[in-house]
C-alpha cells in the first residue's frame, strides 16, 4: 500500500504544526513533497529541515494530491488567488476542524477538473508552528472523511488510502452536520474543559508542585492557539453550546450526589463512566 | 543517594496498583521488600512477579520503613490488629489521597516508638490491581508530605530521601488542610470532569471512531475504581464541591463569550488559559 505513494508528488499548503507533520510523514513515505506557505521564511525552514523537497510554487503543478493545512479562510483565499497553480485533475483535501457551510464556498472557487475531499484527521499536539511538527501524530488516529455527492468515488478512495498510509486506524465517513456534531463533543468540549480548568480562580503559580497525571492530561490542550480556536468555536457555536449544556447536566448529577452524600449514586456514576470509557477505547481499537 | 536504600528492608502493606508499583521500584533500588496483602494469593503473585522478596509476615519485623498502600480504613485496621508485627522505631508512611481528620485516628493506634509520616505521591495510572503495577510512575512526580508536630525531623527527611530515590521531582510540605484544598483542585476536579465527560448523553458506542488526543486524555481517569473514588470524594466533600463551583464559574464565562459570539472575550479566555498552563508546566519543571 505504501508503494502507492513512493515518488508521488504531493503538495502541502500551510506549513504550521499540521502541515509540517504531514510533510514529515509524506517524506518518510517517499513522496516528492512540495511545500507552500504564505511566509517564505517558513517554507525555507521546512526545506532546510528536510520536511519538503521543494518550495518552488511552479512545482505545485506536479502535485497529484494537494493537502490544505490552512484555516478555511486560507484555503478559500488560495483557491481564489492561485487555483491555476494546481494541476488539472489534482485531488485536493483539507484538515479543517469544522465542516458545515464550507462545501458551497469551496465548490464556488474550485477550478474545473479538480475534486476536493473534505477531511479531518483527529490528531495534533499542543503548541503551534513548524518547529512542533511530528510525523508520528497520525499513528492510529481517526481520520474522518465527509463525502459530498459531487465527489468521484475513486478520489475518496485515494484520500482514504493516503490516510491509511499516514497511519490512520479508522476512516469513518459522515455528513458535514454529523461531523460537526461529533467533534463538538469529542474536540470542542475537552478544549473548553481544559481551558476552564486552567482559568479556575483556584489556579496559582505553585499549582505545578501539586499536580499528577490527571490534571496534566486534562489541561494539555489548554496550550492552544487562541485565535484558531476562537474561530473554530464560533463556527461550530450552536453544537458546542449544546455539548457544554449536556456536560453541565452530567457534572451537576455528580455534584448533587456528592452534595447529598449519596454514596450509591456516586459509585454508580463512576462505575458507568468507567464502563463507557473502556467500551470507547476497546471499540475504537478494533 | 540510592546507596541509602540498598539492602534496606522496606515493607509494603497493600499490593494493589500503587503497592505493586512501590514494590517494583524499591526492588530496583536494591531494597529487601517485604509485601503484605489481605488476600494471600495476591501476595504470592507479587512474589512470583519478583516485585517483593518476602511475603512472610514475620519478616515485617525487619522493616525500617513501612509504606501503607491501603485505603485509610485499611491502614487503621492494620495498625489496630497487627501493629505489633512491626519493628519498634520503624518509620511508617502512607499514600492516602485525603489527609484531614486522619492524624488523630492514626496517633490513637500508632504503637509506641513508631513515627508516621503522612504522604501523598501524586502519581498513579488508570486501572487497578497488581497486574497494573509500574515502577516508573514515580519518575518526576510530585510527592507531598504533611509534617505533623509530633513527627521527628529525621524521619521526615528519611521519607523525603525515599521519595527522591523513587524518582520524585518536587517534595512540597504542607498542612493537611492545604493538601486537601490543593488536591480537590488538581485531583478531585479532573476526575469529576473525566467521569462527567464520559457520562454526557452525547456518548455513544461509535464515539471511539471520532476521538483524538484531547478526548482520550481528558477521560483517561474516568477508568477508576468506583468505590475508592466514592470514598475519596466523600471524605473531601466540601473542598471538592468548592472546586466544582469555581470550575463551573470558569466554564460559564467561556459559555457566555461563545453564546454572545464575543470573539475578543473568547480569545482572551484561551490565551490566558495557555499562559497559565505554560507557567504551571514551566514552574513545575524547575
Amino acid at each position: 500500500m505504501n508503494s502507492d505513494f513512493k515518488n508521488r508528488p504531493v503538495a502541502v499548503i500551510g506549513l504550521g504544526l499540521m502541515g509540517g507533520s504531514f510533510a514529515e510523514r509524506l517524506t518518510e513515505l517517499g513522496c516528492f513533497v512540495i511545500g507552500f506557505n504564505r511566509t517564505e521564511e517558513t517554507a525555507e525552514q521546512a526545506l532546510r529541515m528536510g520536511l519538503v523537497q521543494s518550495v518552488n510554487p511552479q512545482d505545485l503543478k506536479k502535485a497529484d494530491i494537494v493537502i490544505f493545512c490552512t484555516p478555511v479562510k486560507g484555503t478559500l483565499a488560495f483557491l481564489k488567488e492561485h487555483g491555476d497553480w494546481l494541476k488539472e485533475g489534482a485531488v485536493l483535501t483539507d484538515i479543517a476542524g469544522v465542516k458545515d457551510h464550507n462545501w458551497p464556498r469551496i465548490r464556488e472557487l474550485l477550478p474545473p477538473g479538480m475534486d476536493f475531499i473534505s477531511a479531518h484527521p483527529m490528531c495534533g499536539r499542543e503548541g503551534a508552528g513548524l518547529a512542533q511538527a511530528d510525523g508520528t501524530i497520525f499513528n492510529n488516529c481517526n481520520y474522518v472523511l465527509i463525502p459530498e455527492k459531487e465527489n468521484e468515488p475513486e478520489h475518496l478512495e485515494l484520500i482514504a488510502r493516503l490516510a491509511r498510509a499516514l497511519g490512520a486506524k479508522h476512516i469513518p465517513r459522515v455528513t458535514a452536520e454529523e461531523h460537526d456534531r461529533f467533534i463538538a463533543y469529542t474536540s470542542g468540549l475537552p478544549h473548553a474543559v481544559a481551558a476552564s480548568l486552567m482559568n479556575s480562580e483556584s489556579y496559582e503559580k505553585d499549582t505545578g508542585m501539586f499536580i499528577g497525571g490527571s490534571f496534566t492530561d486534562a489541561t494539555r490542550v489548554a496550550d492552544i492557539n487562541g485565535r484558531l480556536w476562537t474561530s473554530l468555536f464560533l463556527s461550530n457555536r450552536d453544537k458546542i453550546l449544546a455539548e457544554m449544556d449536556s456536560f453541565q447536566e452530567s457534572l451537576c448529577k455528580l455534584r448533587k450526589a456528592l452534595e447529598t452524600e449519596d454514596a450509591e449514586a456516586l459509585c454508580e456514576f463512576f462505575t458507568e463512566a468507567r464502563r463507557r470509557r473502556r467500551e470507547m477505547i476497546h471499540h475504537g481499537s478494533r
Side-chain angles (χ1 to χ4, degrees), chain A residues 187-188 191-192 221 224-234 240:
Chain A
S187 178
H191 283 81
V221 297
I224 46 176
N225 181 321
R227 286 203 301 179
L228 172 64
W229 280 88
T230 294
S231 161
L232 287 172
F233 265 53
L234 287 172
I240 291 178

Side-chain angles (χ1 to χ4, degrees), chain A residues 54-116:
Chain A
S54 163
V55 295
N56 181 354
Q58 295 191 321
D59 281 342
L60 290 170
K61 205 62 141 177
K62 302 176 178 172
D64 295 336
I65 299 171
V66 181
I67 308 170
F68 285 90
C69 296
T70 38
V72 174
K73 278 200 289 196
T75 304
L76 297 172
F78 185 97
L79 287 177
K80 194 169 184 184
E81 297 164 34
H82 308 304
D84 57 329
W85 286 2
L86 306 178
K87 175 163 99 180
E88 195 176 313
V91 178
L92 281 49
T93 187
D94 74 337
I95 65 165
V98 182
K99 294 307 185 188
D100 213 15
H101 311 308
N102 289 350
W103 188 238
R105 292 150 74 193
I106 287 168
R107 283 205 68 215
E108 210 179 1
L109 296 165
L110 197 60
M114 277 179 230
D115 202 355
F116 191 107

Side-chain angles (χ1 to χ4, degrees), chain A residues 53 56 88 99 171 196 201 270:
Chain A
Q53 286 73 61
N56 181 354
E88 195 176 313
K99 294 307 185 188
I171 308 172
S196 300
E201 63 183 11
F270 288 133

Side-chain angles (χ1 to χ4, degrees), chain A residues 65-225:
Chain A
I65 299 171
V66 181
I67 308 170
F68 285 90
C69 296
T70 38
V72 174
K73 278 200 289 196
T75 304
L76 297 172
F78 185 97
L79 287 177
K80 194 169 184 184
E81 297 164 34
H82 308 304
D84 57 329
W85 286 2
L86 306 178
K87 175 163 99 180
E88 195 176 313
V91 178
L92 281 49
T93 187
D94 74 337
I95 65 165
V98 182
K99 294 307 185 188
D100 213 15
H101 311 308
N102 289 350
W103 188 238
R105 292 150 74 193
I106 287 168
R107 283 205 68 215
E108 210 179 1
L109 296 165
L110 197 60
M114 277 179 230
D115 202 355
F116 191 107
I117 308 298
S118 284
H120 183 191
M122 303 287 302
C123 58
R125 55 177 299 209
E126 62 272 26
L130 186 62
Q132 293 291 92
D134 178 0
T136 66
I137 58 172
F138 305 100
N139 292 354
N140 294 316
C141 77
N142 291 324
Y143 206 117
V144 187
L145 300 182
I146 293 97
E148 298 286 353
K149 62 185 195 300
E150 294 87 349
N151 292 140
E152 294 290 342
E154 61 262 29
H155 297 156
L156 217 47
E157 288 314 310
L158 175 63
I159 300 304
R161 285 202 312 277
L162 174 71
R164 189 77 66 199
L166 289 166
K169 182 144 207 157
H170 296 116
I171 308 172
R173 300 175 191 208
V174 288
T175 66
E177 195 273 343
E178 284 169 326
H179 166 273
D180 290 354
R181 198 160 30 83
F182 285 132
I183 60 110
Y185 176 47
T186 65
S187 178
L189 188 54
H191 283 81
V193 158
S196 300
L197 279 168
M198 286 317 308
N199 284 348
S200 162
E201 63 183 11
S202 298
Y203 172 78
E204 38 175 285
K205 217 170 170 197
D206 277 346
T207 294
M209 294 212 241
F210 295 91
I211 58 175
S214 61
F215 199 82
T216 304
D217 288 353
T219 60
R220 189 176 56 80
V221 297
D223 189 345
I224 46 176
N225 181 321

Side-chain angles (χ1 to χ4, degrees), chain A residues 207-261:
Chain A
T207 294
M209 294 212 241
F210 295 91
I211 58 175
S214 61
F215 199 82
T216 304
D217 288 353
T219 60
R220 189 176 56 80
V221 297
D223 189 345
I224 46 176
N225 181 321
R227 286 203 301 179
L228 172 64
W229 280 88
T230 294
S231 161
L232 287 172
F233 265 53
L234 287 172
S235 54
N236 203 16
R237 172 190 178 272
D238 296 351
K239 294 180 171 70
I240 291 178
L241 284 173
E243 291 310 324
M244 287 174 84
D245 291 344
S246 298
F247 171 73
Q248 289 271 58
E249 236 181 87
S250 188
L251 188 65
C252 282
K253 189 173 169 187
L254 175 61
R255 193 194 186 292
K256 185 169 174 203
L258 182 58
E259 189 174 27
T260 57
E261 298 182 84

